[in-house]
Amino acid sequence: MLTLGLETSCDETAAALVRDGREVLADVVSTQIDIHRRFGGVVPELASRNHLVQVLPVLQEALTRANVTLADVDQIAVTSGPGLQGALLVGLQLGKSLALALGKPLVAVNHLEGHLAAIRLAQRAPEPPFLGLLVSGGHTTAYAVEAWGTYRKLGSTRDDAAGEAYDKVAKLLGLPYPGGRPIDALAQQGDPKAVRFPRALPAPEELDWSFSGLKTAVLQHVKLHGVPQGQALADVCASFQEAVADALTRKAVRAAKQARLPAVVLCGGVAANSRLRALMEARGREAGLEVFLPEVKLCTDNGAMIAAAGALTLARGMPSPLSLDADPTWRL
Ligand code: KG4
Ligand code: ZN
């Protein structure tokens, strides 16, 4: 069973071919980061227009790399939300047109479910139930994944998403957008204990996060000491990164324990973070929880995760109509 996955919800144009919902034959991602960078964030109108330019070449490249043709595709999975309306429409219209032309089933995929399903593409993947911690540019949410398709929200951020905190702090420090990777790289050379930034933990028994205080603390630090350079910059990055990873993993363990879930899965762009991955594994081990991490390149937006999620939905027999619309605020 060959699934084509299409993703255009934000600033990545992506297409992938996945066999039996688990084996990635090709995964092509064209990023628009260079286009949006000088604006310090994603410009919706530019995103849509660039998806329109890139989506067919990206699809063609995926078919070539997988060494298949459109005739080999059995089903089409496409992100229909949440995301930028105009950006979503580009992938959605392509998916619908292909489904009509090929006479193959179409399935709408929730982008967040796509991130959770990325773990299915790893060598080691758990079956539900498990705790799914989704940490991306727009979301920081812990779900009890009771079954594929059945998600219960256990906690989430009250203000900024973890990735948003990375991006805002990077801007304060004069680092490029998006800030996750540059901060992660600088943090490798820094001392995580150099600056004691506040931990974004509301009450200990609650499962929510808050990252705006941490961002403000970095702002105060910059106001007081100036924009750090050299070793001081690496130290601030490492200290900030430690605060984020500490808060995320502490509450993830608590959430898994409270909901009696045996395993933790990280996903979303911030799950690519080296410190978060290491600390989650260490704290999971201490707490007797199994920890599963998607491959780093499958943490950020891609088409393979959309194919993986779509294959699960179609296996339950739930195709979407050709009248399908984008749903920019679709909740999981
Ligand atoms: O999942 P994603 O690609 O897009 C959304 O759905 O939001 O996540 C993008 C976010 C950005 O905020 C980016 O700064 C962050 O993921 N990110 C990272 C790393 N790589 C990407 N954050 C921390 N460490 C990283 N290595
Ligand atoms: Zn995403």
Side-chain angles (χ1 to χ4, degrees):
M1 186 64 88
L2 189 62
T3 309
L4 168 65
L6 298 170
E7 155 66 40
T8 64
S9 68
C10 191
D11 60 347
E12 252 85 42
T13 315
L17 290 144
V18 173
R19 177 121 32 229
D20 299 328
R22 309 207 63 159
E23 185 197 346
V24 182
L25 302 189
D27 179 28
V28 179
V29 180
S30 163
T31 180
Q32 306 177 358
I33 283 173
D34 290 339
I35 293 164
H36 301 288
R37 183 164 283 151
R38 65 198 164 104
F39 302 103
V42 179
V43 183
E45 167 80 11
L46 288 178
S48 319
R49 290 171 61 174
N50 284 285
H51 284 310
L52 189 64
V53 173
Q54 291 300 326
V55 77
L56 287 177
V58 163
L59 169 62
Q60 247 165 354
E61 176 70 20
L63 291 166
T64 305
R65 285 196 208 166
N67 197 21
V68 298
T69 68
L70 279 178
D72 298 316
V73 171
D74 296 303
Q75 50 193 30
I76 297 144
V78 59
T79 307
S80 69
L84 302 168
Q85 167 101 345
L88 289 163
L89 290 176
V90 178
L92 199 54
Q93 187 53 30
L94 174 60
K96 289 165 70 163
S97 304
L98 288 172
L100 178 68
L102 301 170
K104 295 291 162 65
L106 173 76
V107 64
V109 173
N110 182 304
H111 182 83
L112 310 178
E113 185 173 34
H115 276 302
L116 287 167
I119 197 63
R120 305 249 317 151
L121 304 165
Q123 291 291 340
R124 247 180 100 249
E127 288 301 324
F130 59 78
L131 180 95
L133 178 60
L134 169 67
V135 270
S136 69
H139 295 83
T140 298
T141 307
Y143 296 97
V145 178
E146 292 170 347
W148 287 110
T150 308
Y151 310 105
R152 188 160 51 88
K153 187 162 134 183
L154 298 175
S156 82
T157 180
R158 295 184 179 171
D159 38 60
D160 294 350
E164 192 180 351
Y166 263 94
D167 298 341
K168 288 178 175 171
V169 164
K171 201 169 184 175
L172 289 175
L173 298 176
L175 298 171
Y177 170 88
R181 272 174 71 176
I183 290 181
D184 196 355
L186 280 163
Q188 316 285 329
Q189 275 94 54
D191 172 8
K193 295 200 178 80
V195 189
R196 175 74 197 178
F197 287 126
R199 284 356 186 200
L201 299 162
E205 67 286 356
E206 285 177 47
L207 298 177
D208 289 340
W209 291 273
S210 164
F211 290 106
S212 69
L214 174 57
K215 174 193 64 192
T216 307
V218 178
L219 175 64
Q220 294 304 340
H221 185 87
V222 168
K223 277 191 179 157
L224 211 62
H225 305 280
V227 177
Q229 309 288 330
Q231 187 57 41
L233 177 61
D235 287 346
V236 168
C237 287
S239 302
F240 165 76
Q241 177 146 296
E242 193 62 23
V244 175
D246 183 27
L248 287 173
T249 53
R250 206 178 281 274
K251 290 266 168 167
V253 167
R254 190 182 305 274
K257 289 281 171 202
Q258 277 189 18
R260 298 178 187 283
L261 299 164
V264 177
V265 170
L266 289 189
C267 65
V270 182
N273 186 260
S274 59
R275 182 59 185 147
L276 176 60
R277 293 171 79 90
L279 197 57
M280 191 69 249
E281 287 200 306
R283 289 205 166 142
R285 209 176 305 120
E286 269 168 36
L289 296 164
E290 275 205 277
V291 174
F292 296 87
L293 305 169
E295 214 184 304
V296 167
K297 76 169 197 290
L298 293 174
C299 289
T300 45
D301 292 350
N302 64 84
M305 69 185 198
I306 303 304
L312 286 165
T313 308
L314 283 169
R316 296 197 303 275
M318 296 161 79
S320 304
L322 288 178
S323 59
L324 180 66
D325 194 3
D327 186 351
T329 61
W330 188 6
R331 288 179 185 219
L332 199 57

